[in-house]
Amino acid sequence: MTATAPARTGWLRDLRRIAVFTGKRLIALLLTVLVGVYMTIFIANMGGEVDDLRKIQIRSNVSEQVRADPAFFDLPSEERNELIETQVQREVERRRLDEPFLLRSVDYLQQAMVLDLGRAEEMHSDRGARDVYWIIVERLPATLLLFGTANLLVFFASVWAALWLSRRYGSVTDRSVIALAPSSAAPGWFYGIFLILIFAFLVPVLPPGGMVDIPPPESRWEYALSVMRHMILPVTAMFVSSIFISIYSWRTFFLIHSSEDYVEMARAKGLPSGLIERRYILRPTLSPIITSFALMLIGLWSGAIILEQVFNWPGLGTLLFQAIGHRDTPVIIGSVVIFAYLLAVTVFLLDILYAILDPRVRVGIEGDNR
Amino acid sequence: MRRWLDGLRELRQYPSAIGGMVLIVFLVALSVYTVIAIPYNQALELWRGGDEWNKHPVNAGPVWADRLLGGDKPETINVSGAEAPAREASFEGGRQVRMPLSFDYPYGDFPSEINLFLETQDTQREAFVRLSWQTPDGETIPLGGRRVAQQDRVSISQNRALEGRLGAPPHIALFADDPAAAEPNTVTGEYRLVVDAILFGEDASLEADLVVYGRVHGIAGTDHQRRDLMVALLWGTPVALAFGLLAAVGTTITTLIIAATGVWFGGLVDATIQRLTEVNIILPLLPILVMVGTLYSTSIWLMLGVVIALGIFSAGIKMYRAMLLPIRQAPYIEAARAYGASNTRIIMRYMIPRILPVLIPTFVTLIPTYVFLEASLAVLGLGDPILPTWGKVLNDAQVQSALYNGFYYWVVSPALLLMLTGLGFAMLGFALDRVFNPRLRTQ
């Protein structure tokens, strides 16, 4: 690219910078996920102590089998014990429990990183598969649907309302929103309980939980309609729990930025307020807005667990809850790994968006600061 | 110090701050009262349940809620035989005792259960009792007889034979004007259960307690194990406050110290802290807590430890770092260095106090987050195994389908307390935010 036109070079240089930046971030994030997942595995195996429990369980299972098998009834007890011993040994070797935990944990890590999450101990997917991967993937769309809808709704509603309020600050509406902001101290599931109480029991107009009617409607339209009806309450719960704090913080943010000199100048020039909002307030503040959006996503991933449980929504949260009930360790670890991946992907997308939105990252002034 | 006092003085101008503080003072007073009135061990003992509660009704609502809605549901009536005038007659080798247990029944609704608790002492053989029921109309209904063990419970309301004879469950039929009607009415007035006992032994004695279980109980009602919810609601307060406060203090202070250390030393230390923070942001807190709760123990103190441990390298570090970076260059830090202050001294005495006021609001608003986190874990069934908490009450209610069965009080009262806690701290925190961060102040 030595002999190309200057404009072209600039464009290419930008692209290369973004690529290098993205690459660096990707590697850093992969390492981060690696460490995070390893810690998860370590905690879930109690640093190897679970192995002893597993060995005890194998021994009791094997002895149970041998004792119950009529084929071995005639064996003298010594021979029977020997048989149990060898079978236990075989099972231990099959599960590689004789190797040191540290060695195996690396294997587990490798498997987890390529999303080979192993097989569930108790649970199975709706299709009947025992693979943790399938169990989780089957539940993922439900979670994405519910939380995607709620988050987008909260995000756009709050930014719009905040812009509107920042123009009318000090008004009654403005002050009532500020007064309502502390209501966000309670999480979504909390409001969910009240919504269920009111709209499903006191005034039974909406279903108290679940995702579709039972039995599910035949036609596609009715199915979608039924899902939407079931979504109203959980989405409202999430909306109520985060809308006011969201409006409050955006409003403060926009107020600070709308008193900047360049905004004042635009006003002095007599530009229409819509244009001022778009070009002078929203554009320069886009990267913080995106950041907060992504951070909200991160926050809500984990909040999902209980909300889903309260509304009996068949997503990842309910899955995790059921896995706890069954003490199904592979599923629990699998969910945590998936959560970690989702967070990492969110952070990564955020970084790329940063690079695209913030010219300073592209030119490389800020690039090294992160 | 002046800055703080000025801040506090300014705080009085905010109604939300006053409201928040009133709520917090109320909760703290409630906790202090609770801890004094029901000592820790007694609370655990009570919450474990069992015989202690067998004279309480199952799933009874609060009295005030029923009365407010214009209801007339009965409260539990407990008639002790010790106070009743007993007639005794001796015979060879034993005694005959006649014990009338009378009580006034003024309610418009039927009781939920009737039990008779009998305790005999110094009998050589099992005593024999015969029961009869006298209504205010003067009618006498024989309830049958039976042998009783040393400590026995005669469940009158679950006597199938009696139910068949009366045509309705005994606790309804015995109080109804017309048991066969679809919706019978209660007959108010004085009822009497006469216990005729034959005791075998010269010194044998009998104690009888008649319990006519109500449908409402106390301020908070009872749960499916007959436990008075008041115990859990009261004890939930100090537990929630302690958990929220300790978790908030633990995470904020450690985070702050680590952020300041990183900024001060820079270089490798800072880089390590930054990378650790990034790892930690990727670890999802709730699933990890769920995992720890499932695999290790659900003790509230272990959870607190994990919350703090995971909160040390939290996202807050990035924010504090941004605040501390300009302070590092401040002239007064340079001066401190010049007089030979140690690293620890500079971090602890010069850097951290500088940004503390900015953190106070964050700190206060963090408390309810952790209170709700504890409740969330409990709702997932990972509450502390022995301590009564609000979240565990909610969890019990959920498991027993309280809303479906119409036991609204069971869900509403712990939720209301959680809400009050959340609101109290959040309102104070928001007002503090405006006082200590003037840039955010509206007017």
Side-chain angles (χ1 to χ4, degrees):
Chain A
M1 66 180 89
T2 42
T4 40
R8 184 104 191 267
T9 326
W11 187 78
L12 268 177
R13 193 192 54 202
D14 273 7
L15 201 66
R16 207 184 51 200
R17 280 227 165 95
I18 290 182
V20 169
F21 173 78
T22 313
K24 269 191 196 163
R25 289 303 296 159
L26 202 59
I27 292 169
L29 272 171
L30 262 178
L31 280 176
T32 320
V33 173
L34 206 72
V35 177
V37 170
Y38 189 75
M39 275 169 69
T40 309
I41 290 170
F42 202 79
I43 298 174
N45 285 291
M46 298 188 185
E49 265 181 66
V50 169
D51 289 357
D52 296 333
L53 297 179
R54 288 205 184 105
K55 276 183 204 160
I56 292 169
Q57 202 176 0
I58 290 173
R59 181 166 298 273
S60 75
N61 282 352
V62 167
S63 18
E64 197 71 12
Q65 266 171 17
V66 171
R67 293 226 171 83
D69 195 337
F72 302 126
F73 272 173
D74 304 335
L75 280 182
S77 66
E78 260 175 48
E79 268 179 59
R80 205 191 299 170
N81 281 344
E82 223 165 273
L83 184 73
I84 291 173
E85 222 32 65
T86 47
Q87 288 206 0
V88 167
Q89 205 52 43
R90 215 175 289 159
E91 184 66 15
V92 164
E93 270 168 38
R94 189 181 74 78
R95 296 221 216 161
R96 303 178 50 208
L97 290 176
D98 49 342
E99 290 173 28
F101 172 71
L102 276 181
L103 210 69
R104 260 174 316 125
S105 71
V106 177
D107 265 7
Y108 291 158
L109 178 65
Q110 199 191 344
Q111 285 167 4
M113 290 303 284
V114 296
L115 290 182
D116 173 11
L117 301 174
R119 290 167 74 78
E121 280 167 15
E122 302 274 338
M123 304 171 74
H124 49 79
S125 74
D126 294 342
R127 270 185 266 159
R130 293 302 285 271
D131 293 319
V132 174
Y133 179 78
W134 283 112
I135 295 177
I136 292 175
V137 163
E138 222 169 50
R139 302 294 192 102
L140 205 54
T143 298
L144 284 178
L145 175 69
L146 183 60
F147 287 86
T149 315
N151 281 345
L152 289 176
L153 221 59
V154 167
F155 179 70
F156 287 111
S158 63
V159 168
W160 177 81
L163 264 179
W164 189 80
L165 280 181
S166 70
R167 259 184 280 147
R168 286 170 186 71
Y169 87 106
S171 67
V172 179
T173 335
D174 186 35
R175 265 181 283 164
S176 39
V177 166
I178 300 176
L180 280 171
S183 68
S184 299
W189 63 263
F190 184 80
Y191 290 104
I193 291 180
F194 282 100
L195 287 175
I196 293 177
L197 172 62
I198 296 168
F199 292 106
F201 291 106
L202 289 181
V203 194
V205 284
L206 288 168
M211 191 167 152
V212 282
D213 287 331
I214 298 169
E218 291 290 332
S219 89
R220 192 170 289 181
W221 271 109
E222 277 173 43
Y223 191 91
L225 217 65
S226 165
V227 170
M228 268 161 71
R229 247 169 66 79
H230 284 78
M231 270 171 70
I232 295 176
L233 283 187
V235 168
T236 314
M238 274 187 281
F239 191 76
V240 169
S241 83
S242 45
I243 186 73
F244 291 112
I245 183 81
S246 200
I247 294 180
Y248 173 82
S249 48
W250 283 125
R251 169 194 153 280
T252 317
F253 181 79
F254 287 136
L255 274 179
I256 292 171
H257 278 271
S258 54
S259 59
E260 295 280 353
D261 290 343
Y262 56 83
V263 182
E264 297 289 344
M265 196 199 72
R267 282 218 183 88
K269 279 204 292 188
L271 293 179
S273 63
L275 190 72
I276 295 180
E277 269 170 20
R278 274 201 308 279
R279 199 178 287 167
Y280 290 86
I281 300 179
L282 277 182
R283 182 59 187 91
T285 52
L286 208 51
S287 26
I289 292 178
I290 299 288
T291 316
S292 115
F293 179 62
L295 286 178
M296 191 174 75
L297 278 183
I298 293 175
L300 282 175
W301 277 125
S302 47
I305 297 175
I306 299 161
L307 193 93
E308 283 184 5
Q309 170 58 19
V310 166
F311 280 100
N312 204 8
W313 187 266
L316 277 182
T318 317
L319 176 75
L320 190 58
F321 182 77
Q322 286 164 347
I324 298 167
H326 289 297
R327 309 253 148 185
D328 203 327
T329 329
V331 179
I332 299 177
I333 296 179
S335 313
V336 176
V337 169
I338 291 274
F339 270 118
Y341 259 109
L342 284 174
L343 293 191
V345 168
T346 316
V347 172
F348 179 64
L349 287 179
L350 176 69
D351 279 331
I352 292 182
L353 267 176
Y354 254 149
I356 293 169
L357 289 176
D358 194 341
R360 283 174 298 184
V361 176
R362 235 179 311 171
V363 187
I365 297 172
E366 285 273 300
D368 293 336
N369 207 4
R370 292 183 45 84
Chain B
M1 207 57 211
R2 267 195 64 83
R3 211 161 135 207
W4 298 79
L5 285 177
D6 286 346
L8 280 179
R9 210 164 296 136
E10 206 176 320
L11 209 55
R12 279 191 304 203
Q13 294 166 6
Y14 291 92
S16 69
I18 309 273
M21 275 196 276
V22 167
L23 280 179
I24 295 171
V25 167
F26 165 72
L27 289 168
V28 171
L30 193 64
S31 324
V32 172
Y33 166 77
T34 306
V35 175
I36 294 170
I38 315 172
Y40 182 75
N41 289 328
Q42 194 191 337
L44 297 190
E45 191 71 32
L46 283 174
W47 197 243
R48 201 171 296 143
D51 278 353
E52 205 130 3
W53 298 107
N54 61 14
K55 287 174 184 166
H56 283 68
V58 176
N59 285 332
V63 177
W64 55 270
D66 177 60
R67 300 296 182 262
L68 267 184
L69 294 172
D72 188 21
K73 290 185 176 169
E75 290 181 62
T76 302
I77 299 170
N78 198 338
V79 193
S80 171
E83 294 149 21
R87 261 209 333 245
E88 300 185 10
S90 293
F91 60 88
E92 183 104 9
R95 291 185 319 137
Q96 191 181 4
V97 180
R98 185 186 185 93
M99 210 181 264
L101 301 167
S102 42
F103 61 96
D104 190 48
Y105 194 82
Y107 303 105
D109 202 346
F110 295 99
S112 57
E113 237 181 308
I114 310 171
N115 277 341
L116 180 68
F117 293 89
L118 294 170
E119 191 177 343
T120 51
Q121 264 164 5
D122 302 319
T123 45
Q124 284 145 8
R125 276 165 46 198
E126 282 189 332
F128 185 83
V129 296
R130 178 171 294 281
L131 306 172
S132 60
W133 186 262
Q134 290 176 5
T135 64
D137 305 339
E139 201 185 335
T140 302
I141 304 166
L143 300 182
R146 59 176 282 185
R147 293 189 179 283
V148 289
Q150 202 168 45
Q151 270 193 333
D152 211 341
R153 189 181 71 175
V154 185
S155 182
I156 297 171
S157 48
Q158 279 167 22
N159 189 334
R160 292 275 164 255
L162 188 62
E163 185 176 336
R165 184 146 54 89
L166 296 170
H171 54 278
I172 291 174
L174 291 176
F175 289 89
D177 51 354
D178 176 18
E183 276 183 36
N185 293 312
T186 54
V187 178
T188 55
E190 196 181 348
Y191 286 85
R192 184 176 296 153
L193 177 73
V194 181
V195 183
D196 278 308
I198 294 172
L199 308 170
F200 302 97
E202 296 293 324
D203 307 316
S205 64
L206 171 76
E207 274 177 44
D209 279 317
L210 172 68
V211 184
V212 181
Y213 295 90
R215 289 178 189 273
V216 289
H217 179 85
I219 304 175
T222 58
D223 67 3
H224 60 300
Q225 295 187 31
R226 300 176 189 274
R227 296 177 296 193
D228 191 342
L229 285 179
M230 206 59 196
V231 176
L233 293 183
L234 281 177
W235 254 95
T237 323
V239 172
L241 290 188
F243 188 86
L245 199 70
L246 287 177
V249 168
T251 49
T252 328
I253 301 224
T254 47
T255 307
L256 191 54
I257 291 176
I258 286 175
T261 314
V263 167
W264 179 243
F265 289 105
L268 193 63
V269 179
D270 195 28
T272 315
I273 291 174
Q274 295 287 317
R275 297 293 91 75
L276 277 175
T277 310
E278 272 152 27
V279 171
N280 207 20
I281 291 176
I282 289 208
L283 285 180
L285 175 65
L286 202 61
I288 295 234
L289 280 178
V290 164
M291 206 165 72
V292 170
T294 320
L295 297 172
Y296 295 74
S297 109
T298 52
S299 153
I300 198 167
W301 307 118
L302 177 74
M303 289 295 171
L304 184 66
V306 177
V307 166
I308 293 177
L310 286 176
I312 289 175
F313 288 99
S314 67
I317 283 193
K318 298 256 179 201
M319 190 177 79
Y320 302 152
R321 189 167 168 271
M323 286 187 221
L324 285 163
L325 272 174
I327 293 173
R328 187 173 188 265
Q329 314 293 337
Y332 78 98
I333 301 270
E334 195 68 37
R337 253 170 128 172
Y339 86 70
S342 69
N343 289 333
T344 330
R345 190 177 166 83
I346 290 179
I347 292 172
M348 301 301 282
R349 297 291 308 245
Y350 294 101
M351 289 177 73
I352 291 179
R354 185 69 190 276
I355 64 163
L356 265 187
V358 186
L359 292 186
I360 299 283
T362 324
F363 170 74
V364 174
T365 27
L366 256 182
I367 296 176
T369 316
Y370 289 116
V371 171
F372 275 104
L373 181 69
E374 191 273 323
S376 306
L377 284 172
V379 169
L380 282 177
L382 296 171
D384 189 274
I386 49 170
L387 263 179
T389 67
W390 296 333
K392 276 177 77 182
V393 175
L394 281 175
N395 184 37
D396 282 346
Q398 182 131 33
V399 171
Q400 302 291 324
S401 311
L403 289 181
Y404 182 75
N405 289 319
F407 307 137
Y408 299 141
Y409 66 93
W410 203 352
V411 176
V412 172
S413 40
L416 208 67
L417 280 165
L418 274 171
M419 191 75 233
L420 284 184
T421 315
L423 268 185
F425 285 101
M427 276 157 74
L428 181 64
F430 275 80
L432 280 170
D433 201 28
R434 276 183 272 166
V435 173
F436 285 109
N437 301 331
R439 196 163 139 78
L440 305 179
R441 206 177 312 162
T442 50
Q443 203 84 129

